Amino acid sequence: RSSWLLLAPLLTPPVPVITAPPCSLCPEGAHRFQWIRNLVPEFGISSSHVKVLSSPAEFYELLKVQIKAAKQRVVMASLYLGTGLLEQELVYCLEETLEKSLQAKGSPDLRVSILLDYTRGSRGRKNSRTMLIPLLQRFPEQVRVSLFHTPNLRGLLRLLIPERFNETIGLQHIKVYLFDDNVILSGANLSDLYFTNRQDRYVLLRDSPEIADFFTELVDAIGDVSLQLQQDDTVRMMEGMVHPYQGDKAAYCEIANRRVMEVINSARTRQELLHAKTFHSSQPGSSLLSQQGSPASGSLKPEPDTWIYPLIQMKPFGIQIDEMVTETLLTEAERDARIYLTTGYFNLTQAYMDLILGTRAEYRILLASPEVNGFFGAKGVAGAIPAAYVYIEHQFYSEVCYLQQQERVQLQEYSRAGWTFHAKGLWLYLAGSDLPCLTLIGSPNFGYRSVHRDLEAQVAIVTDSKALQQQLHQEQEQLYLCSGVVSPSTFEQPSRYVKLWVKLVTPLIKNFF
């Protein structure tokens, strides 16, 4: 995330770990995960509306197609927007679509809302802000650009930390891209590497208005507590809003918590009312009733066989839903269940490591080999970051061996010439099943930053559909095919050599990356 991590421990103290009480899983079928709807809204959809993408190029082309087809809304949340030719083409697509909207009616319907991180989006003279200012200048009534600034970067700390260092304190890390009623969930940012040769994960939820409404409201809520980019490249807060680093920190975090939880709770209430009328009625066939379908068409939606649960993690605001759900999934995974877990940055929290080492399920953990780490070959301090991840990996593997868990917990390293690796998520295979019934996909890396410092969002997709389960299985297989199993000899390779100073410093800085 940042190439300037080694001084991070001097900047701010680590946040204490807070663990959540586990929930109990219900016993039957895929519905054993219904307990998640006690925390977040549950969206029932048809699996025919879900498409799993596999490549950066497919992701990029889909973004352009969806932007050009949008009529009412484009909502894009990302860490940053790059400044290359591919990113510029996305901006041109937005400009073209906005222009068409202006010409179509006197009062254009299309609204574009973009949420980025302030520190990453402001880096350098040419940056995300300068890329988007022309849209703000030309379409001031239709375009909103919000730049989230963590409340933990403030005062003397903010004044003293140079650019890039400041990103270690906290970021807006959510990646959601939605166009009218179509939603793309991913871990990929809006940058040329993520459109060409940086492997990630991507899922498209088509014709899902309730899910699109939820993420629109979520991005709006975060946008409301973020700095607003102006046409002259200045920023300011909305009128009456507490400033994230100049105002009172506790008051700011309380307002942010309230705004985000309002979105989660209101959507949960709406979905509960909808489910009471449709999916959970005692009358036979009632689940075939329309889900607020178009009144004009009167068409019925197919019976849902797939459930989407948005999981939000914003520890700076006291919101830790994703952490609670993830810990519960790991805790409750039964003997002979298989969990495939992948992360571009292997730096699991202590709680996640303890659960993996102490529970009954089989684990296949996919991580980046040093050669496909995004920092591989970087100059200066950044060049040591892949070695720090190797050291963390070796420590974890040594613990697995010490506990004699090598058969149950297996590490695999992704390796692909000319590519980097950024995929993250989880696939859960119930005991005796060859296909996954649940996946987690989105922005979290399962590390300390994801849990404690950054704003994160992912979805749990639970499905009864064999066709969708097969899609998810193929996605998992495709990623794991490009990997080799870690063994003791892995760490004897020259590329796994870790200098003494890196070993000494890594325990001090691991909570910052």
Side-chain angles (χ1 to χ4, degrees):
R1 308 215 184 172
S2 172
S3 59
W4 300 87
L5 298 165
L6 296 182
L7 293 184
L10 305 178
L11 308 180
T12 183
V15 184
V17 175
I18 302 173
T19 56
C23 309
S24 296
L25 298 185
C26 303
E28 70 281 357
H31 291 287
R32 67 175 57 210
F33 305 106
Q34 280 185 347
W35 56 268
I36 303 177
R37 73 178 184 203
N38 295 327
L39 299 170
V40 296
E42 175 187 68
F43 300 98
I45 64 173
S46 167
S47 57
S48 62
H49 291 186
V50 184
K51 182 180 181 183
V52 179
L53 312 181
S54 61
S55 73
E58 190 179 6
F59 170 59
Y60 181 61
E61 291 305 317
L62 181 62
L63 286 176
K64 291 193 293 182
V65 167
Q66 290 292 319
I67 289 172
K68 291 177 181 178
K71 297 292 189 289
Q72 277 81 42
R73 60 184 168 190
V74 171
V75 179
M76 306 175 85
S78 187
L79 175 59
Y80 67 106
L81 172 70
T83 58
L85 295 177
L86 295 180
E87 298 93 317
Q88 188 62 62
E89 191 173 346
L90 281 184
V91 176
Y92 288 150
C93 288
L94 285 168
E95 186 177 11
E96 180 183 327
T97 304
L98 284 161
E99 185 62 43
K100 285 181 183 176
S101 175
L102 266 183
Q103 293 172 357
K105 295 180 181 179
S107 178
D109 291 332
L110 182 66
R111 294 291 181 269
V112 174
S113 177
I114 299 174
L115 171 67
L116 305 173
D117 181 71
Y118 176 89
T119 54
R120 179 61 68 91
S122 304
R123 184 198 288 182
R125 296 185 65 180
K126 186 178 182 182
N127 52 41
S128 305
R129 293 162 63 163
T130 59
M131 292 285 286
L132 292 169
I133 283 172
L135 292 181
L136 281 172
Q137 293 173 337
R138 190 168 177 193
F139 308 98
E141 302 301 315
Q142 293 173 265
V143 177
R144 179 193 195 191
V145 178
S146 304
L147 302 170
F148 174 78
H149 190 294
T150 178
N152 293 327
L153 181 64
R154 55 175 47 237
L156 194 59
L157 189 66
R158 187 176 187 276
L159 293 174
L160 293 178
I161 303 178
E163 200 173 80
R164 294 179 186 244
F165 273 104
N166 51 19
E167 296 170 20
T168 64
I169 307 304
L171 295 166
Q172 191 309 109
H173 199 241
I174 295 169
K175 292 90 186 276
V176 175
Y177 310 107
L178 73 86
F179 314 89
D180 293 341
D181 293 337
N182 301 326
V183 183
I184 302 172
L185 275 301
S186 180
N189 292 304
L190 296 174
S191 174
D192 53 5
L193 289 176
Y194 294 90
F195 303 149
T196 52
N197 62 345
R198 190 155 170 76
Q199 183 63 58
D200 216 297
R201 297 180 66 208
Y202 336 83
V203 65
L204 169 65
L205 308 176
R206 290 187 297 102
D207 301 323
S208 303
E210 293 90 356
I211 300 173
D213 288 346
F214 172 83
F215 280 107
T216 298
E217 292 169 13
L218 179 67
V219 172
D220 282 347
I222 303 168
D224 287 349
V225 298
S226 299
L227 295 155
Q228 306 300 304
L229 183 63
Q230 306 298 307
Q231 296 178 29
D232 60 356
D233 198 21
T234 59
V235 293
R236 67 181 182 212
M237 293 298 291
M238 290 174 56
E239 190 172 346
M241 184 60 65
V242 177
H243 199 281
Y245 62 84
Q246 293 176 350
D248 180 77
K249 180 180 175 181
Y252 172 82
C253 290
E254 183 182 348
I255 290 170
N257 173 286
R258 190 162 62 243
R259 281 289 287 115
V260 173
M261 290 308 299
E262 279 173 2
V263 171
I264 295 170
N265 291 330
S266 63
R268 189 165 155 249
T269 300
R270 286 197 306 268
Q271 291 307 112
E272 285 177 350
L273 291 171
L274 184 60
H275 288 205
K277 293 177 182 177
T278 57
F279 311 141
H280 303 294
S281 170
S282 60
Q283 296 180 2
S286 62
S287 59
L288 296 175
L289 294 174
S290 171
Q291 270 193 70
Q292 305 295 326
S294 169
S297 68
S299 62
L300 300 181
K301 289 193 175 183
E303 184 174 2
D305 58 8
T306 299
W307 295 267
I308 309 295
Y309 302 95
L311 308 179
I312 311 304
Q313 184 74 12
M314 301 178 181
K315 188 66 75 70
F317 304 156
I319 299 169
Q320 52 197 89
I321 296 169
D322 180 63
E323 176 188 7
M324 292 170 66
V325 172
T326 302
E327 286 190 5
T328 303
L329 289 172
L330 299 182
T331 301
E332 300 290 345
E334 60 195 332
R335 188 179 302 278
D336 296 327
R338 285 176 294 136
I339 292 178
Y340 288 78
L341 186 150
T342 178
T343 172
Y345 303 104
F346 183 73
N347 185 18
L348 301 178
T349 65
Q350 191 62 50
Y352 291 163
M353 283 193 289
D354 290 345
L355 286 170
I356 290 170
L357 293 172
T359 51
R360 301 155 293 180
E362 295 180 14
Y363 285 87
R364 300 292 179 265
I365 302 174
L366 182 63
L367 48 106
S369 67
E371 296 80 10
V372 299
N373 186 294
F375 294 107
F376 183 74
K379 296 179 181 179
V381 170
I385 292 175
Y389 282 113
V390 168
Y391 183 58
I392 293 168
E393 175 191 351
H394 195 181
Q395 284 187 309
F396 180 75
Y397 182 73
S398 297
E399 185 72 10
V400 171
C401 294
Y402 174 76
L403 296 172
Q404 298 184 327
Q405 298 289 309
Q406 300 97 307
E407 293 299 316
R408 191 180 64 82
V409 180
Q410 190 174 95
L411 298 185
Q412 296 177 228
E413 288 186 351
Y414 185 94
S415 183
R416 188 176 179 185
W419 284 64
T420 55
F421 183 69
H422 196 251
K424 69 267 302 203
L426 177 154
W427 299 259
L428 174 60
Y429 294 67
L430 297 179
S433 176
D434 293 328
L435 298 173
C437 66
L438 175 147
T439 192
L440 302 182
I441 180 170
S443 63
N445 278 297
F446 305 104
Y448 191 94
R449 289 201 57 135
S450 292
V451 171
H452 293 283
R453 298 192 181 280
D454 299 339
L455 306 192
E456 306 277 10
Q458 63 180 339
V459 294
I461 303 176
V462 179
T463 184
D464 285 338
S465 163
K466 294 299 181 188
L468 179 52
Q469 289 178 359
Q470 190 65 48
Q471 274 196 74
L472 295 170
H473 177 67
Q474 289 172 352
E475 177 199 30
Q476 177 270 116
E477 279 196 323
Q478 185 176 347
L479 288 172
Y480 279 68
L481 274 174
C482 298
S483 71
V485 176
V486 172
S487 68
S489 62
T490 301
F491 301 101
E492 296 171 4
Q493 300 173 24
S495 61
R496 302 305 190 278
Y497 173 72
V498 180
K499 295 178 180 177
L500 177 61
W501 73 269
V502 175
K503 292 180 181 180
L504 294 174
V505 171
T506 297
L508 302 174
I509 67 168
K510 64 184 294 185
N511 290 345
F512 293 85
F513 64 92

